Amino acid sequence: MVTGAAGFIGGHVVAALEASGHHVVPLDLRSGGDVRDAALLDRLLAGADAVVHQAAKVGLGVNVADLPGYASVNVYGTAVLLAAMAARDVRRLVLASSMVVYGEGAYDCARHGRVRPGPRRADDLARGSFEPSCPRCGDDVRYAAIGEDAPVDPRNAYATTKLAQEHLAANWARETGGTAVALRYHNVYGPGMPRDTPYSGVAAIFRSALEAGRAPRVFEDGGQTRDFVHVRDVADANVAALAGGRTGCLTAYNVASGEPHTVGEMARELAAQRGGPEPVTTGEYRLGDVRHIVAAPHRAAAELGFRARTGFAEGMKEFAGAPLA
């Protein structure tokens, strides 16, 4: 069973699973299927041997009023799903998690080695000071790739609920002897992304602006570093995860390209490929955002056999002309 089967990532996951010979039972809110409906889940899980859980309320959220919605769908919905899986003795879960559980990425200080800066301060951001500093000495730091064993530090409602999903899945795995694989997606992009909404990823926001003839508006100074991973690679990771993981516990894996780029680079590449207006760097910021977060993708390669295949230039060229949902 695939939850969120009609969503941006879920649709690609279903296609990849079916192409690999799996029979998929879809569940999606758009077609009347709510992951919080225990009776519906019980019917759909009859005969299932695994669940790929993509359903979630996504994005950073607009304000505090979004908190109940995130908690209801992402946390309560996952709890209902896991209880239904236990009742039907379904022992394998692939969970769509996110790199946002890390908070800021990994950083190295010349004096103190690997450090984890705290949340950036609003007054620093307001005066254009975007780079984190060493929490011990205040010196400049350099970002490094973050591995799955790094401490987690969720900094917005979405991040907090994704981490809660991981904890609930770990509880389920220990209680049932099941296998839970948490795929921590980095910045996913590709055909079928939702159009410009406050909850869209930055790639879709830029792509929507270009389609409308507007210049992409790049927050901060455009130097934020991310790992942009194509949705087809993400779908392939889900297929691989059905055969991986460690029994009786939850194992997390970064799903990423291993090829970091700045947000400004992504905006410029999309604009160039689309032939649209040059991006505008605005200096605006969001308190829930982090500065640099790039992935160490080695565990997924070693344990799941997953490696991203779509390069940045190739993927952005396709995405620049791809349809949005």
Side-chain angles (χ1 to χ4, degrees):
M1 185 177 81
V2 177
T3 72
F8 162 49
I9 296 175
H12 286 274
V13 169
V14 169
L17 288 168
E18 291 178 339
S20 298
H22 295 280
H23 172 68
V24 175
V25 175
L27 180 144
D28 196 274
L29 193 61
R30 301 180 193 186
S31 54
D34 194 324
V35 74
R36 295 165 292 188
D37 185 337
L40 174 61
L41 290 175
D42 185 65
R43 293 196 301 273
L44 293 179
L45 285 169
D49 59 359
V51 171
V52 179
H53 184 29
Q54 304 290 322
K57 185 175 177 68
V58 300
L60 293 183
V62 175
N63 54 46
V64 175
D66 284 328
L67 288 174
Y70 278 100
S72 178
V73 175
N74 297 357
V75 182
Y76 178 68
T78 299
V80 173
L81 172 65
L82 293 170
M85 290 174 65
R88 283 289 185 179
D89 198 30
V90 180
R91 298 289 188 92
R92 179 167 288 273
L93 172 70
V94 178
L95 170 67
S97 187
S98 173
M99 55 87 174
V100 295
V101 302
Y102 296 121
E104 278 289 350
Y107 292 86
D108 290 327
C109 170
R111 294 173 61 189
H112 296 107
R114 183 60 50 90
V115 295
R116 295 297 302 277
R120 296 180 296 170
R121 299 186 305 175
D123 55 346
D124 288 337
L125 296 171
R127 60 185 176 83
S129 179
F130 302 121
E131 293 290 342
S133 58
C134 176
R136 297 179 61 184
C137 66
D139 285 354
D140 293 341
V141 291
R142 295 175 61 87
Y143 76 80
I146 195 163
E148 292 88 350
D149 293 328
V152 291
D153 184 18
R155 297 185 179 183
N156 56 63
Y158 175 61
T160 299
T161 59
K162 296 309 285 185
L163 183 57
Q165 287 183 325
E166 289 195 15
H167 287 316
L168 288 170
N171 299 155
W172 165 85
R174 285 193 296 269
E175 292 288 335
T176 65
T179 300
V181 176
L183 300 178
R184 291 177 177 170
Y185 302 159
H186 284 248
N187 287 65
V188 186
Y189 73 96
M193 284 193 87
R195 292 185 180 276
D196 194 359
T197 79
Y199 304 94
S200 291
V202 67
I205 293 172
F206 291 167
R207 172 67 176 73
S208 297
L210 288 164
E211 187 172 35
R214 303 190 309 269
R217 295 176 58 82
V218 180
F219 280 16
E220 301 186 17
D221 60 359
Q224 312 94 299
T225 313
R226 299 290 187 270
D227 188 306
F228 298 100
V229 58
H230 197 281
V231 68
R232 284 194 299 271
D233 288 323
V234 171
D236 288 345
N238 277 268
V239 176
L242 285 174
R246 305 166 193 173
T247 302
C249 65
L250 175 139
T251 313
Y253 298 90
N254 285 326
V255 175
S257 71
E259 184 184 352
H261 290 272
T262 68
V263 172
E265 286 176 321
M266 189 265 286
R268 291 190 294 273
E269 184 70 18
L270 270 182
Q273 294 290 349
R274 182 83 187 179
E278 283 288 311
V280 175
T281 302
T282 70
E284 297 171 85
Y285 62 88
R286 297 185 300 183
L287 280 177
D289 281 341
V290 297
R291 181 63 175 175
H292 304 294
I293 180 162
V294 301
H298 314 301
R299 180 185 289 179
E303 299 186 14
L304 303 182
F306 166 75
R307 293 176 177 82
R309 296 181 295 175
T310 306
F312 180 77
E314 173 193 355
M316 289 296 162
K317 182 177 181 179
E318 178 200 23
F319 183 51
L324 300 177

